[in-house]
Amino acid sequence: MAESIHSHDASSVPQQRFVITNNYGEKLVAVLHETGSKKLVILCHGFRATKDVEIILNLSDAITSKDISVVRFDFSGNGDSEGTFEYGNYWKEVEDLHSVLLYFSEKDYETSAVVGHSKGGDVVLLYASKYADAHTVINLSGRFDLKRGIENVLGEDYLQRIKIDGFIDVMDKNGKFAFRVTEQSLMDRLNIDMHAACLSIDKKCRIFTVHGSADEIIPVEDAYEIAKLIPNHKLHIIEGADHCYTKHQEDLAKVVVNFLASVQVEDDAVSGN
């Protein structure tokens, strides 16, 4: 099911909204930026973000300006999609991405790359460790060690506390309830092994990692750890960039678009175009 929607940027390509059912029967909302090209890049948002955050919208504009179509969508439990928000759900989000990719491949689109920011970066790497239908994967500021960063959100001794209560409620800056972390969703995150996932990515799959040197949420060291484990890997550090590339949106867009262009050149050479 599709409907046209107005773009946030008058100069950009037509957009259509699609509703795609995932494996759990939940409706995922996706937006296709249609350039006329059947080559498609799928963009995946991060933790507690949506398909409408600045980083995703800016990448959509940059990629479509090179005549590649783009799909951005909300994972289940996020944004406009159905489902319950969970702290974990990494493998579930992998399946959401798979549902989106299959939906558009049935419409004769060829996914030339999947791109994820932050938690979405982990999701696209995990995706590549399980599925062989994404040949180019771009990880923007993904986390390598998922045991890190939890104390910043849940406070110290979170494991003991969650064992006693079964959950921890997280408040926002204003002291309002933000989301609940259940023991199951915490374990879901702690049981993700990015080391094993990186090692099981097919050598033919091209991985590109971009990370900001001044990332305050996920340290840049995580990017180097990922780079060490994946043979078919390129790494690009954006000097001075924070986790959301606040002052480096154009740099990020340029780096991503240049990489996609270089991949296209390689692919054309192989297929003799």
Side-chain angles (χ1 to χ4, degrees), residues 52-71:
D52 302 317
V53 292
E54 181 184 37
I55 196 166
I56 298 289
L57 294 176
N58 287 344
L59 284 171
S60 299
D61 283 346
I63 295 165
T64 52
S65 75
K66 300 298 178 201
D67 290 331
I68 302 168
S69 296
V70 166
V71 163

Side-chain angles (χ1 to χ4, degrees), residues 240-255:
D242 63 11
H243 187 61
C244 288
Y245 301 87
T246 312
K247 298 193 169 84
H248 295 81
Q249 291 284 317
E250 278 181 35
D251 299 334
L252 175 65
K254 193 180 292 176
V255 164

Side-chain angles (χ1 to χ4, degrees), residues 9-25:
D9 171 1
S11 66
S12 64
V13 298
Q15 295 179 36
Q16 263 190 313
R17 181 182 157 110
F18 289 85
V19 176
I20 299 162
T21 307
N22 71 5
N23 296 348
Y24 295 81

Side-chain angles (χ1 to χ4, degrees), residues 6-268:
H6 293 295
S7 157
H8 70 289
D9 171 1
S11 66
S12 64
V13 298
Q15 295 179 36
Q16 263 190 313
R17 181 182 157 110
F18 289 85
V19 176
I20 299 162
T21 307
N22 71 5
N23 296 348
Y24 295 81
E26 296 159 340
K27 293 182 170 63
L28 307 178
V29 175
V31 174
L32 170 68
H33 297 240
E34 172 62 80
T35 63
S37 164
K38 286 293 188 184
K39 290 225 183 297
L40 188 64
V41 171
I42 303 177
L43 302 179
C44 300
H45 66 75
F47 179 68
R48 290 185 55 75
T50 71
K51 64 183 176 333
D52 302 317
V53 292
E54 181 184 37
I55 196 166
I56 298 289
L57 294 176
N58 287 344
L59 284 171
S60 299
D61 283 346
I63 295 165
T64 52
S65 75
K66 300 298 178 201
D67 290 331
I68 302 168
S69 296
V70 166
V71 163
R72 55 190 170 88
F73 73 100
D74 290 325
F75 285 115
S76 49
N78 292 267
D80 298 325
S81 292
E82 289 180 352
T84 310
F85 174 81
E86 292 287 357
Y87 184 67
N89 271 359
Y90 287 76
W91 286 110
K92 186 182 183 201
E93 292 188 357
V94 166
E95 296 309 320
D96 284 351
L97 172 55
H98 194 53
S99 298
V100 171
L101 189 145
L102 290 178
Y103 181 89
F104 285 100
S105 78
E106 281 164 14
K107 296 194 173 306
D108 295 329
Y109 285 91
E110 180 203 336
T111 298
S112 50
V114 293
V115 182
H117 174 243
S118 193
K119 183 186 182 184
D122 289 300
V123 171
V124 295
L125 290 170
L126 291 169
Y127 188 93
S129 76
K130 178 171 182 179
Y131 292 108
D133 51 10
H135 308 298
T136 300
V137 170
I138 302 181
N139 154 43
L140 309 175
S141 316
R143 191 183 285 283
F144 177 69
D145 183 355
L146 288 168
K147 292 178 180 60
R148 284 166 53 174
I150 298 176
E151 280 192 2
N152 303 347
V153 179
L154 303 187
E156 288 177 17
D157 68 1
Y158 60 85
L159 271 176
Q160 295 88 315
R161 282 172 27 238
I162 212 159
K163 285 266 184 284
I164 294 164
D165 297 326
F167 63 89
I168 294 173
D169 284 344
V170 177
M171 304 299 160
D172 66 13
K173 293 191 284 286
N174 309 317
K176 287 202 174 66
F177 173 79
F179 59 95
R180 172 166 287 188
V181 178
T182 61
E183 185 175 2
Q184 186 189 350
S185 67
L186 176 63
M187 290 306 146
D188 184 59
R189 171 167 168 162
L190 289 173
N191 289 331
I192 298 281
D193 185 347
M194 291 306 293
H195 187 280
C198 288
L199 292 177
S200 55
I201 293 172
D202 190 301
K203 310 283 181 286
K204 292 193 288 290
C205 183
R206 279 174 293 233
I207 308 283
F208 184 44
T209 292
V210 184
H211 214 106
S213 70
D215 192 320
E216 74 291 10
I217 292 175
I218 299 177
V220 70
E221 291 83 59
D222 285 39
Y224 291 109
E225 291 296 326
I226 290 166
K228 269 192 265 187
L229 294 172
I230 301 174
N232 194 353
H233 186 278
K234 281 198 174 100
L235 175 62
H236 187 100
I237 305 299
I238 297 184
E239 279 310 316
D242 63 11
H243 187 61
C244 288
Y245 301 87
T246 312
K247 298 193 169 84
H248 295 81
Q249 291 284 317
E250 278 181 35
D251 299 334
L252 175 65
K254 193 180 292 176
V255 164
V256 168
V257 163
N258 288 347
F259 181 75
L260 289 171
S262 71
V263 163
Q264 193 54 55
V265 169
E266 281 175 40
D267 287 350
D268 287 349

